[in-house]
Amino acid sequence: MVKAGHAAGVLTIAAADNVLRLLPALNIPDADIAEALNRLDLAAGGLAKAA
């Protein structure tokens, strides 16, 4: 998921086997949060199709 998120333009790190940690700026606008979540959703959907 970390690689898929990076490919979608969202920085993440794996915090544990089943935990994905996001790395947003402290002053991130709500619109950017929504965009990041949309990108992660698409990345996760791509992984589900590939599996």
Side-chain angles (χ1 to χ4, degrees):
M1 186 64 200
V2 173
K3 288 180 183 180
H6 185 264
V10 181
L11 294 178
T12 62
I13 58 172
D17 288 339
N18 62 348
V19 177
L20 184 67
R21 185 171 170 202
L22 304 177
L23 303 170
L26 294 177
N27 59 348
I28 187 171
D30 289 345
D32 288 349
I33 293 171
E35 177 66 24
L37 291 176
N38 185 46
R39 289 181 183 201
L40 284 174
D41 187 39
L42 292 173
L47 288 175
K49 290 179 184 175

